[in-house]
Amino acid sequence: MLKKLLIGTCVMALATGTAHAADGAPQQEAPQTGAPAAPLSEATQQDIIVTASKRAQNVQDVPVAVTAVAEEKFQSLNITNTANLAALAPGIVFVPAPNPNNLQFVVRGIGTYSTVDTLEQSVGVAIDGIPLGRIAGAIVDAVDVARVEVLRGPQGTLFGKSATAGLVSVVTNKAKLGQTEAIGRVYYGENDEFRVQGTVNLPIGDKVALRLSAWDFSRDGYIIAPKQADGNIGDFHNWGVRARLALEVTPNWRIDANAEYSRNTNDGVLQTTRAYMPNDFIALPGARTIAQINASMGIVPGPLNKAVGSEVPIGGFVTPEFYHVESNWDFGDVTLTSITGYRHIRSSQVSEYDYSASEPGSFTTYLHYKSDTDQFTSELRLANGSGNAFKYTLGLFYYNLDVNNSSFEQTARNVPSLPGPYFATGRFPVSTMNTKNYAAFADLNYDIGPVTLIGGARLSHEVSYGTFNRTLPRDGAAAEGGADTSIYIPGQTVAGYTPLSVASSITYDDFSWRGGAQFKASKDIMFYATASRAYKGPGFNFASDLTPVIFAQTRSIVKPEIAHSYEIGMRSQFFDRQVTFNLTGYYAPYKDFQITAALPGTGGNGLSYTIINAGEIVAKGIEAEFAFNPRGALQGFSLNGDITWNDTKYTDFANAPCYALQPRNPTPTSTPGVCAPPSVGSTASVQSVNGLRTVGNPEWKLNAFAGYDRPVSERLNAFGQLHYYYQSAVQYGVGANPATQAPGYNTVDLTLGIRADDNRWKLSAIGKNIFGQRFVSRLVTNNPGLEQVVPYEAFSSWGAALDVRF
């Protein structure tokens, strides 16, 4: 604890905290005066400025479904990164995974879960205008963040590929010319949770400014693990530094540069056993089952289980490095913008699933996943002023991505009579991928009185090349050693996957577009209707169990995913903008959706699980956002939130995998939800899931925030905020597997505190999930049975935060 307090003192010397933009309303990125942020009751009346259309606009004027969340909103709920955006914005769900490269954002029921780095996500992530090629490193710590914009629906025209479902855009604060400020925060809570962050803005003359940020976040584990060194897993330690430089070359030319490095570490996947299944295997007759091993440690499976028996040291890290330069040159009514960025991400994760390494005659299932990603992007665009009747944004874009990953998997059998460790089965697949993308885009708007015509297009050319090489560990090899030899186990049949080395390539050209119109009925009421097309780039199915048969059928190529979207919306404010009500409806068919499925092959029972294109998924639903920020007698009170109804389902997916223990119909059938052979005499089994809901897709979501901020003395204000979140049941497997359907849940968060009337300091007590509602954020069938991811937010926790600003 002393070490953490010393770290906190040092970073607070930098000064840590946040400026206020209440209600999640980000401040406009125009030059700021240096005055302290407005109190809550005043800030809610300010315009919310977003850059969803790559130009600064009031969110109420943008014909896109977008929600902007400022750092204040994150901090008021002790939400420290983008993984918990579901509690702040409609239509979005985050699904964690054992591997940081397999994390999944789901927007409007659309999201890609992939076990390989050679496929992209359906929900894009951009940081300061630069899109990320892979999900690793996309969980961004909310430090000195101006806002996070959640754009729902395809965003292919302006943001390119891999945004077929939506986009999470993180915008950090730029250095401010001519202004000195220091802001900071310290938080301490249960499970020794300690967070300290600080930012200073330093002017260097009139033309240069430097902005420095540093943070250190940590928490002890909360999942009981009797065989781990510290008795638990689930802890983390994230730290990072960021430097931003602003240079005013001339009054009309400004350059902003950024350099950032962070390291996020954890000590294990937060999976506990919900139920045992027949895949609880043993190596030798008479050896104890995993159920017996866990029972000897007092571990009882079930929805409330918060203990695991893993004894192999597990955990990992993600280390993102990020550098970019942005140049804005104003030529009167036209601005030329250049954004160039480089991002390097390394990640490593060790997992172990059967918890029986020291058992005689047992298996030790061990997985070490490594990934190394390099990305370079450059964008040049020209835009005229927003005051013109005809507005345009024209641009060129270049993207170069290199991915290198490996997955060392071994199942070592503990036999005392033989030297160990040696491998009963194992594989060491390594895959690489290079993708180059060239694009030209245009976004056009033409005002004809109260009507604005909307048009946009993006022409893309993409070239990808990938390799896959799988070798096998050999009997008696050292840990993580590998050789191009078959496995030989004395007295046993050779087991494992054969060596395989293949390469593949694909070239793809795409034309994405957007068209529509918006109608300004009055100053505060706007309607719009749009239609659009977007794509997610093609990729390679380099799953670790790739077989020669599957490669011969497809060359491991996964076709691009194509989205069409039709959206209507209303943006409205009433009673002098004291009441805001926004409504959006959407219908979006997705062709060739990239998904994990089952194909006849050489796998167990004649079936291989692979990544293919589902025929079609249709997303449809309604989103409503509301806010009430009264003046007069109710000054200081605020009520805001959102409600989403989503009905995204498979409409053309007849060869989905059957789930574990699903009853098998002996004859082929196309009846949805029935597991059957695809043809007469086949030993494989598939099912149609047409009409069933997609993965990670609750039908209903509700967020509601109620706040009150009032003076209690001449120099002090008291404030409070109550947050209610509801999510209906979610299916985490393809199909209607009752085992992987998580029930709905609701949580309540509470924040109470006092602050200086000028916001120079603020002291908050923050309660998360104060009634202790238990829930899970993923269910998956794996050894030893049905496994559940139990997030920290599924437990009640309390903490205190101090914010300062100078």
Side-chain angles (χ1 to χ4, degrees):
M1 183 62 195
L2 177 60
K3 177 183 176 182
K4 293 183 176 181
L5 288 176
L6 288 173
I7 294 173
T9 302
C10 293
V11 179
M12 281 296 289
L14 262 183
T16 97
T18 180
H20 285 264
D23 240 5
Q27 305 300 304
Q28 188 166 355
E29 285 191 348
Q32 300 181 26
T33 63
L40 183 66
S41 58
E42 297 176 17
T44 52
Q45 312 304 325
Q46 298 177 358
D47 290 338
I48 302 175
I49 304 301
V50 296
T51 53
S53 298
K54 296 202 172 180
R55 61 171 71 232
Q57 290 178 280
N58 187 327
V59 70
Q60 292 297 110
D61 296 330
V62 180
V64 175
V66 56
T67 300
V69 183
E71 189 177 29
E72 161 67 17
K73 197 77 163 187
F74 282 92
Q75 294 193 345
S76 69
L77 297 173
N78 192 35
I79 292 175
T80 58
N81 59 49
T82 53
N84 295 106
L85 281 171
L88 301 172
I92 185 169
V93 173
F94 176 74
V95 183
N99 186 324
N101 295 60
N102 302 150
L103 306 175
Q104 183 182 11
F105 282 113
V106 178
V107 171
R108 294 178 172 176
I110 300 295
T112 300
Y113 175 74
S114 171
T115 57
V116 297
D117 274 354
T118 46
L119 283 179
E120 301 166 341
Q121 295 289 315
S122 295
V123 180
V125 177
I127 300 178
D128 291 322
I130 297 178
L132 305 189
R134 291 297 181 267
I135 194 67
I139 305 307
V140 180
D141 290 318
V143 177
D144 199 34
V145 168
R147 65 186 176 278
V148 177
E149 298 177 14
V150 180
L151 288 71
R152 303 179 297 280
Q155 307 297 325
T157 305
L158 284 174
F159 294 96
K161 66 193 188 104
S162 304
T164 48
L167 180 81
V168 175
S169 176
V170 180
V171 183
T172 62
N173 286 307
K174 295 180 179 180
K176 302 173 184 178
L177 297 172
Q179 181 174 334
T180 301
E181 70 175 352
I183 55 179
R185 157 172 277 221
V186 169
Y187 174 91
Y188 184 76
E190 294 184 62
N191 286 290
D192 208 18
E193 183 174 0
F194 187 75
R195 302 176 183 269
V196 58
Q197 62 191 79
T199 297
V200 294
N201 194 89
L202 303 171
I204 305 173
D206 297 331
K207 305 295 185 181
V208 180
L210 180 65
R211 191 175 185 90
L212 302 173
S213 297
W215 60 96
D216 192 293
F217 300 163
S218 62
R219 188 191 63 222
D220 287 346
Y222 62 96
I223 299 295
I224 299 168
K227 292 188 176 181
Q228 292 293 304
D230 56 1
N232 61 65
I233 62 172
D235 66 357
F236 71 86
H237 183 197
N238 300 351
W239 63 268
V241 292
R242 179 191 303 135
R244 300 212 62 168
L245 180 70
L247 169 63
E248 188 181 276
V249 183
T250 71
N252 298 322
W253 182 16
R254 171 169 166 150
I255 297 175
D256 290 274
N258 174 76
E260 179 178 326
Y261 178 86
S262 60
R263 184 177 177 88
N264 303 334
T265 61
N266 68 82
D267 75 345
V269 178
L270 309 179
Q271 290 190 165
T272 69
T273 301
R274 194 179 182 97
Y276 295 121
M277 300 179 73
N279 57 331
D280 177 9
F281 60 85
I282 57 175
L284 296 176
R288 292 202 299 174
T289 67
I290 298 172
Q292 292 170 328
I293 296 168
N294 283 348
S296 69
M297 292 183 282
I299 297 174
V300 179
L304 300 181
N305 178 21
K306 57 175 296 186
V308 297
S310 178
E311 60 185 57
V312 172
I314 56 179
F317 65 84
V318 179
T319 58
E321 297 176 59
F322 189 34
Y323 311 93
H324 86 270
V325 177
E326 177 180 342
S327 173
N328 288 280
W329 198 342
D330 293 332
F331 298 92
D333 190 47
V334 177
T335 299
L336 179 66
T337 299
S338 169
I339 302 178
T340 300
Y342 169 74
R343 190 169 180 87
H344 178 215
I345 302 173
R346 292 184 302 114
S347 65
S348 173
Q349 189 74 34
V350 173
S351 303
E352 186 264 346
Y353 296 108
D354 60 17
Y355 324 134
S356 57
S358 61
E359 290 288 315
S362 71
F363 279 104
T364 301
T365 304
Y366 169 90
L367 168 66
H368 189 177
Y369 189 93
K370 296 180 181 180
S371 177
D372 196 296
T373 302
D374 283 284
Q375 174 187 310
F376 176 83
T377 62
S378 185
E379 180 173 294
L380 182 68
R381 64 177 184 262
L382 192 69
N384 67 342
S386 296
N388 294 281
F390 177 65
K391 292 177 282 292
Y392 61 82
T393 300
L394 310 174
L396 299 172
F397 178 78
Y398 171 73
Y399 165 99
N400 186 13
L401 176 73
D402 281 299
V403 176
N404 189 316
N405 67 74
S406 64
S407 178
F408 189 94
E409 305 169 46
Q410 64 190 46
T411 302
R413 191 172 59 185
N414 185 356
V415 182
S417 61
L418 295 172
Y422 71 92
F423 308 127
T425 62
R427 52 193 172 184
F428 184 38
V430 176
S431 62
T432 68
M433 181 179 182
N434 173 261
T435 297
K436 292 181 174 63
N437 182 275
Y438 311 83
F441 62 90
D443 184 73
L444 310 173
N445 292 267
Y446 184 52
D447 298 334
I448 307 174
V451 176
T452 299
L453 301 180
I454 302 166
R458 189 181 190 99
L459 182 62
S460 302
H461 174 72
E462 185 166 337
V463 180
S464 295
Y465 176 79
T467 66
F468 177 84
N469 184 51
R470 182 176 60 225
T471 57
L472 303 178
R474 62 179 181 177
D475 181 19
E480 297 204 28
D484 293 329
T485 59
S486 298
I487 299 173
Y488 175 69
I489 306 300
Q492 299 292 322
T493 303
V494 172
Y497 291 83
T498 58
L500 180 64
S501 182
V502 295
S504 191
S505 63
I506 184 171
T507 299
Y508 180 71
D509 294 315
D510 181 82
F511 179 72
S512 295
W513 51 264
R514 181 171 181 256
Q518 66 182 106
F519 172 64
K520 196 79 172 178
S522 68
K523 184 182 72 169
D524 295 322
I525 299 178
M526 182 268 285
F527 300 91
Y528 74 90
T530 59
S532 62
R533 179 195 188 278
Y535 87 105
K536 182 171 75 170
F540 301 111
N541 172 29
F542 289 151
S544 58
D545 58 355
L546 179 65
T547 66
V549 172
I550 293 297
F551 185 79
Q553 292 173 353
T554 65
R555 292 197 58 79
S556 287
I557 293 173
V558 182
K559 294 186 295 184
E561 176 181 301
I562 307 299
H564 288 85
S565 178
Y566 308 92
E567 184 171 299
I568 59 173
M570 178 186 73
R571 305 291 180 260
S572 62
Q573 292 182 308
F574 306 95
F575 307 110
D576 194 22
R577 298 198 299 172
Q578 294 181 84
V579 175
T580 299
F581 180 69
N582 296 337
L583 193 64
T584 306
Y586 55 91
Y587 176 87
Y590 286 74
K591 297 287 187 180
D592 292 325
F593 184 77
Q594 296 174 356
I595 195 169
T596 300
L599 290 176
T602 58
N605 196 31
L607 197 66
S608 289
Y609 290 89
T610 187
I611 300 167
I612 64 170
N613 297 95
E616 183 183 69
I617 291 175
V618 172
K620 57 183 177 180
I622 300 173
E623 300 160 345
E625 297 176 272
F626 58 88
F628 176 45
N629 298 297
R631 292 186 284 272
L634 293 178
Q635 180 82 18
F637 173 76
S638 64
L639 176 66
N640 64 89
D642 57 78
I643 184 169
T644 303
W645 173 74
N646 187 74
D647 190 40
T648 300
K649 294 179 179 178
Y650 304 101
T651 56
D652 182 14
F653 191 16
N655 61 328
C658 299
Y659 56 80
L661 305 184
Q662 184 174 6
R664 187 177 189 269
N665 194 64
T667 58
T669 178
S670 59
T671 303
V674 177
C675 180
S679 59
V680 175
S682 173
T683 59
S685 296
V686 297
Q687 63 169 325
S688 168
V689 293
N690 294 344
L692 301 181
R693 300 184 66 82
T694 55
V695 174
N697 171 21
E699 182 177 10
W700 291 96
K701 269 186 75 236
L702 170 66
N703 271 302
F705 301 86
Y708 195 61
D709 186 323
R710 292 293 290 177
V712 294
S713 72
E714 185 177 341
R715 304 189 64 179
L716 288 179
N717 277 39
F719 63 88
Q721 177 178 262
L722 193 67
H723 172 223
Y724 174 80
Y725 177 80
Y726 169 74
Q727 176 179 298
S728 62
V730 174
Q731 176 59 253
Y732 288 109
V734 176
N737 185 354
T740 55
Q741 172 145 323
Y745 65 92
N746 55 77
T747 60
V748 177
D749 306 322
L750 177 65
T751 301
L752 298 171
I754 57 173
R755 65 175 179 84
D757 66 328
D758 60 0
N759 271 330
R760 296 297 184 184
W761 61 267
K762 180 175 70 171
L763 183 63
S764 308
I766 302 171
K768 298 283 296 176
N769 191 5
I770 60 176
F771 297 115
Q773 171 72 67
R774 295 290 289 272
F775 61 91
V776 299
S777 52
R778 184 187 283 276
L779 287 167
V780 62
T781 53
N782 204 336
N783 194 54
L786 180 61
E787 298 295 287
Q788 59 190 0
V789 175
V790 185
Y792 185 67
E793 292 76 16
F795 303 91
S796 176
S797 64
W798 287 88
L802 173 64
D803 295 282
V804 296
R805 182 184 186 96
F806 305 100

